[in-house]
Amino acid sequence: MGKVLGIVYRTLATHITHKAGFNKKTSQTGAVTLIQRFGSALNLNIHFHMLYLDGVYAVNEYGKTSFYRISAPTKTQLSELV
């Protein structure tokens, strides 16, 4: 599960970072993930619940860290991510 979560995190982080107009070296984003292993009927149903930042933190032109928010993804962007 750790390897799969790493792939999902990197994919979303790259998308958000590029959409905000930054790169991996100049900004940071973040997420909190809960791995749920069972469904409501106690059947095996491994899936992630992720709470992701809707933007990135980066240093602005004054040397201060600022949050740069991005807009919600479009249906096309969601399809590309999936």
Side-chain angles (χ1 to χ4, degrees), residues 23-80:
N23 61 42
K24 188 177 175 179
K25 293 182 181 180
T26 60
S27 65
Q28 289 284 344
T29 190
V32 176
T33 304
L34 169 74
I35 300 174
Q36 185 170 344
R37 300 186 183 280
F38 297 97
S40 60
L42 295 180
N43 57 324
L44 182 61
N45 182 11
I46 301 172
H47 57 281
F48 302 128
H49 292 269
M50 296 183 83
L51 179 63
Y52 227 101
L53 292 177
D54 58 351
V56 296
Y57 284 97
V59 177
N60 64 21
E61 62 271 11
Y62 304 109
K64 302 279 185 177
T65 302
S66 296
F67 184 74
Y68 296 90
R69 187 174 180 186
I70 61 170
S71 59
T74 63
K75 288 182 181 183
T76 304
Q77 290 171 335
L78 287 175
S79 295
E80 290 173 4

